[in-house]
Amino acid sequence: MWGRHREAFSMYKRMPSRDHSTLVDDVEENSALLQNSMDVGTTNPSWLLSFPHVVVATISSLLFGYHLGVVNEPLESISIDLGFRGNTLAEGLVVSTCLGGAFIGSLFSGWIADSAGRRRAFQLCALPMIIGAATSATTRTLAGMLIGRFLVGTGIGIGPPVASLYLAEVSPASLRGTYGSFIQIATCLGLMGALFIGIPVREIAGWWRICFWVSTVPAGIVAFAMIFCAESPHWLYKKGRSAEAEAEFERLLGGSHVKYAMLELSKLDRGDEADTVKLSELLRGRHFRVVYIGSTLFALQQLSGINAVFYFSSSVFKSARVPSDVANALIGVANLTGSIVAMLLMDKLGRKLLLLWSFFGMTMSMVLQVAAANSYVSGSGSLYLSVGGMLMFVLTFALGAGPVPGLLLPEIFLNRIRAKAMAFCMSVHWVINFFVGLLFLRLLEQLGPQLLYSIFASVCMMAVIFVKKNVMETKGKSLQEIEIALLPPE
């Protein structure tokens, strides 16, 4: 480094006086441009420019939540109409086939996002959702229902990782946490919407078909509205389309912020785009650490027991003599309340602090569940502890463990591997989600609630330790600053 400075200084001394004067003028001009860019970089772009693009992208997360919850209420009516009532295996397949499709979709999400672009990926994820929902709504057989659910699953497997990518890449650094929380809020609204639309299913014959048809409307909106949304400037720059990236930055941030945004983007090497990212790159070498952090966060999120709590909540509330619709409403309100609070705090307190307190709160909630399962606790006291612990668990999950991993991962993955690494980590998420759902009731039967909830509490405490040791704070930092801080030199 010193050798290059010394050589430049020698050349500078040998220059004629006129050339020396020109060089000084150029240096002053470039310094002024850099200073202007830095001054602009210290101000925050208007949220009004990027907000519409973010809203359209988060509709895919609303669909994700909707399709996870759409069969909960109507499942009995579906089984009667399609002739598999009493067949628990078939009922389980109607629920879990969607998860299998999501796993397949998540595997291909990175390749689709990198090859077709973020906007086109949204449109491609909406297509199987529309076809799958229409297939489920019109089928007369179990096979048709399973095909429809699988197609929908591939769409929701593509949607969440692409939404996380897109929001991280189009959001101003000052708003990235707030916008990232929209994904969790949209998922909550989707789940609540599915439960609300499913209410008339017991009174109106064939209403479950309407439940599936309804989902085609937001999917169609995503496919159409993405035509008018900005493409990710990071993806365009990665593809060598710098002029288009600059134009999209102007749409998202405003003209005064374009030069600073491009200056930040140019700090990083695009890499050789002809050289595709291989799985081996993600699992060893300089990229291993961030992929390890990302996949472990998703694994801990699912092993914490959140889906088991959702699956088992109706039984707990039933034993407390709370009607199922009231129970679902309470769970939904707790989830939505936590998500809104997380949105308000994400860019104030930061990602790491929310994760730490979220997992710690989940640990305490599971301790309440363990206490509720203790034989020394009276019947009414046990019910209060169980219901209170469950609502507290959902609330604290929504404060950090729910929204933060999907936001943090695109922030810590460098531009070249971002889409593929997100696809890998989401695949880990879906695999563990599937096995937790598959084995929870069996483990509850074999181990008992006290031991099983103790295991969940231990996992949550392990998550606190992991976050403390491995997760860096990304609040207010540009994606380029985060990449430089995390990526070791080659």
Side-chain angles (χ1 to χ4, degrees):
M1 179 69 76
W2 167 244
R4 287 199 295 272
H5 285 303
R6 186 171 56 194
E7 182 182 349
F9 181 67
S10 299
M11 291 175 64
Y12 170 77
K13 287 201 301 184
R14 291 196 299 268
M15 283 183 180
S17 59
R18 187 176 64 181
D19 292 340
H20 168 266
S21 175
T22 302
L23 178 62
V24 170
D25 291 340
D26 289 343
V27 169
E28 289 177 350
E29 182 179 347
N30 290 335
S31 298
L33 178 61
L34 181 60
Q35 184 61 46
N36 289 337
S37 296
M38 291 176 67
D39 291 341
V40 171
T42 58
T43 62
N44 295 328
S46 171
W47 63 272
L48 291 170
L49 295 173
S50 52
F51 183 73
H53 309 272
V54 170
V55 168
V56 173
T58 51
I59 295 175
S60 65
S61 297
L62 184 142
L63 283 162
F64 168 65
Y66 185 89
H67 282 295
L68 286 182
V70 72
V71 296
N72 285 2
E73 284 292 328
L75 186 57
E76 184 179 350
S77 298
I78 293 171
S79 65
I80 293 171
D81 287 359
L82 300 186
F84 59 89
R85 186 180 187 181
N87 186 338
T88 54
L89 176 61
E91 290 177 355
L93 283 172
V94 170
V95 176
S96 62
T97 299
C98 188
L99 299 179
F103 171 70
I104 300 298
S106 67
L107 287 177
F108 290 96
S109 63
W111 177 80
I112 293 171
D114 270 348
S115 58
R118 311 322 191 209
R119 286 193 313 169
R120 188 61 58 83
F122 279 114
Q123 293 174 317
L124 290 173
C125 91
L127 185 62
M129 286 190 191
I130 294 171
I131 296 173
T135 302
S136 296
T138 56
T139 187
R140 300 290 175 183
T141 65
L142 173 62
M145 175 59 69
L146 296 181
I147 291 170
R149 292 288 287 165
F150 182 82
L151 287 172
V152 163
T154 60
I156 67 173
I158 296 169
V162 175
S164 295
L165 282 174
Y166 185 78
L167 264 63
E169 293 175 344
V170 305
S171 304
S174 59
L175 292 171
R176 201 166 55 239
T178 301
Y179 283 166
S181 301
F182 284 11
I183 292 177
Q184 179 72 8
I185 292 174
T187 303
C188 294
L189 291 174
L191 280 164
M192 293 175 72
L195 295 173
F196 176 77
I197 291 171
I199 289 174
V201 74
R202 298 183 188 278
E203 284 76 33
I204 303 175
W207 182 261
W208 62 269
R209 298 184 187 274
I210 302 298
C211 296
F212 286 108
W213 277 121
V214 165
S215 68
T216 62
V217 176
I221 291 173
V222 170
F224 178 73
M226 267 296 155
I227 299 171
F228 307 100
C229 289
E231 180 56 270
S232 162
H234 291 256
W235 180 77
L236 291 168
Y237 181 80
K238 181 181 172 184
K239 294 295 182 182
R241 296 155 62 177
S242 299
E244 294 175 62
E246 196 168 332
E248 297 294 37
F249 268 136
E250 186 168 359
R251 291 179 66 190
L252 294 164
L253 307 177
S256 60
H257 293 269
V258 171
K259 290 190 182 299
Y260 177 77
M262 290 301 294
L263 182 66
E264 284 287 295
L265 206 54
S266 66
K267 289 178 183 177
L268 304 175
D269 184 14
R270 284 196 301 265
D272 184 6
E273 290 308 316
D275 181 22
T276 58
V277 179
K278 298 176 182 177
L279 182 62
S280 58
E281 285 187 73
L282 304 180
L283 300 181
R284 66 167 185 262
R286 64 202 298 252
H287 303 311
F288 172 75
R289 183 185 172 218
V290 288
V291 175
Y292 162 71
I293 292 171
S295 55
T296 304
L297 272 180
F298 267 132
L300 290 169
Q301 180 199 63
Q302 294 304 305
L303 290 171
S304 69
I306 183 60
N307 284 317
V309 166
F310 277 126
Y311 299 152
F312 196 55
S313 63
S314 58
S315 299
V316 171
F317 282 109
K318 186 177 179 181
S319 64
R321 297 180 182 177
V322 178
S324 62
D325 54 345
V326 176
N328 289 330
L330 288 173
I331 291 289
V333 168
N335 201 0
L336 183 60
T337 301
S339 301
I340 292 172
V341 173
M343 177 189 71
L344 298 174
L345 297 179
M346 194 74 72
D347 285 317
K348 292 184 174 67
L349 298 182
R351 288 59 153 156
K352 184 172 183 176
L353 193 61
L354 283 179
L355 266 182
L356 286 170
W357 282 106
S358 175
F359 277 119
F360 182 75
M362 291 162 69
T363 304
M364 295 298 100
S365 303
M366 277 299 166
V367 169
L368 291 180
Q369 295 281 24
V370 172
N374 194 301
S375 58
Y376 293 105
V377 180
S378 65
S380 59
S382 174
L383 288 175
Y384 287 134
L385 283 174
S386 185
V387 171
M390 184 169 295
L391 292 175
M392 180 179 167
F393 189 87
V394 173
L395 177 68
T396 52
F397 171 83
L399 283 173
V404 170
L407 165 66
L408 185 71
L409 269 55
E411 291 183 320
I412 66 174
F413 294 146
L414 74 157
N415 197 26
R416 180 171 175 267
I417 69 163
R418 189 172 292 136
K420 303 292 195 309
M422 277 297 296
F424 177 83
C425 293
M426 283 301 295
S427 299
V428 172
H429 165 278
W430 284 114
V431 168
I432 297 178
N433 187 345
F434 176 81
F435 281 107
V436 169
L438 181 68
L439 299 175
F440 172 68
L441 291 177
R442 179 71 173 171
L443 289 172
L444 187 65
E445 184 181 85
Q446 296 291 320
L447 303 178
Q450 199 165 0
L451 180 55
L452 184 57
Y453 287 139
S454 297
I455 293 172
F456 286 147
S458 301
V459 170
C460 292
M461 202 63 221
M462 286 169 56
V464 173
I465 298 168
F466 177 82
V467 171
K468 182 73 175 174
K469 289 186 175 181
N470 294 282
V471 174
M472 72 168 285
E473 183 52 68
T474 59
K475 178 188 69 172
K477 294 182 174 68
S478 71
L479 296 179
Q480 291 69 42
E481 290 172 328
I482 297 167
E483 181 172 325
I484 291 168
L486 277 174
L487 191 66
E490 293 194 84

